[in-house]
Amino acid sequence: MADTASIGSVLIPEMEKKGYPRDFATAVTVSGSVQAILIPPSHNAVIYSLAAGGSVSIAALFLAGVLPGLLLGLTLAIMCLFIAKKRDFPKGRSIPMKEALRICVDALWGLMTMVIILGGILSGVFTATESAAIAVVWAFFVTMFIYRDYKWNELPKLVHRTVKTLAIVMILIGFAASFGYIMTLMQIPTMITAACSPASRTTSTWCC
């Protein structure tokens, strides 16, 4: 929801201006937002690890999400190309190699955030929580001093949006942890396993 709201508020109107149907622009934005669940650093992976009591490594979850995330992005790209060609959607201009290289160089400052998070966690230099704190400081520095996308008088509004998103995540973590604690306290997983075991043994006997 957060990715759809933040990206869609910019992407959907721009796609409409370029001549794309609103329903297609919305569908692409919503489908692309799902990719954030898989691609590291996925906050859903962090929530899952915390809800599981830390028994599942965050670094392992990050690594496990790389291939499915890339596969999802590739399939979405292929589908969008197929639909765009079939419906004769407008085409963008060809970007010269010199301009493409300049865009890549400009993007390196922002992409360093991924290097800090994944590199720090996988190398063992710092934990997921510490990497998040360092990445926030780096992202703030890049946004305000290098890219200068926002003015200083807009900082309170940005903090307010961040706190709203953080509140949603913390509520999810709180309920997930409480639910996991109650499940463990009432031994519900053990009861489900015991109830399913006779059925699995009966099925195996029948198959043999």
Side-chain angles (χ1 to χ4, degrees):
M1 291 175 61
D3 290 327
T4 303
S6 58
I7 300 174
S9 60
V10 177
L11 184 61
I12 295 175
E14 286 297 321
M15 291 184 69
E16 282 190 289
K17 291 179 182 178
K18 299 295 184 180
Y20 292 93
R22 186 175 181 83
D23 57 347
F24 177 79
T26 304
V28 170
T29 305
V30 173
S31 301
S33 299
V34 180
Q35 200 169 15
I37 300 176
L38 299 173
I39 292 293
S42 169
H43 65 273
N44 296 76
V46 178
I47 294 173
Y48 180 86
S49 178
L50 293 175
S55 59
V56 183
S57 170
I58 296 178
L61 291 173
F62 281 179
L63 287 175
V66 172
L67 184 59
L70 294 176
L71 182 60
L72 175 62
L74 178 62
T75 53
L76 286 175
I78 294 174
M79 182 176 294
C80 288
L81 288 173
F82 175 77
I83 296 175
K85 186 175 181 180
K86 183 179 180 180
R87 300 183 182 179
D88 195 23
F89 287 161
K91 299 179 181 180
R93 66 179 182 89
S94 299
I95 300 178
M97 182 59 66
K98 185 177 180 180
E99 185 179 353
L101 291 175
R102 182 181 59 81
I103 294 174
C104 291
V105 172
D106 291 340
L108 287 177
W109 295 103
L111 293 175
M112 279 299 297
T113 307
M114 294 287 296
V115 176
I116 292 173
I117 296 175
L118 295 179
I121 294 175
L122 298 179
S123 63
V125 176
F126 37 68
T127 64
T129 305
E130 293 169 347
S131 69
I134 297 173
V136 166
V137 175
W138 173 256
F140 178 81
F141 172 78
V142 171
T143 301
M144 303 303 294
F145 293 98
I146 298 179
Y147 291 150
R148 298 180 181 179
D149 294 331
Y150 296 96
K151 299 179 180 178
W152 286 98
N153 57 5
E154 296 178 294
L155 187 59
K157 181 178 66 175
L158 298 176
V159 173
H160 178 258
R161 288 169 51 185
T162 303
V163 171
K164 286 176 62 178
T165 305
L166 179 63
I168 296 173
V169 174
M170 295 306 296
I171 290 173
L172 290 174
I173 293 176
F175 275 100
S178 301
F179 182 75
Y181 175 76
I182 293 174
M183 293 277 286
T184 305
L185 186 65
M186 299 181 66
Q187 298 183 351
I188 293 179
T190 305
M191 295 168 60
I192 294 175
T193 302
C196 294
S197 295
S200 62
R201 286 197 297 267
T202 303
T203 305
S204 299
T205 303
W206 181 81
C207 290
C208 293

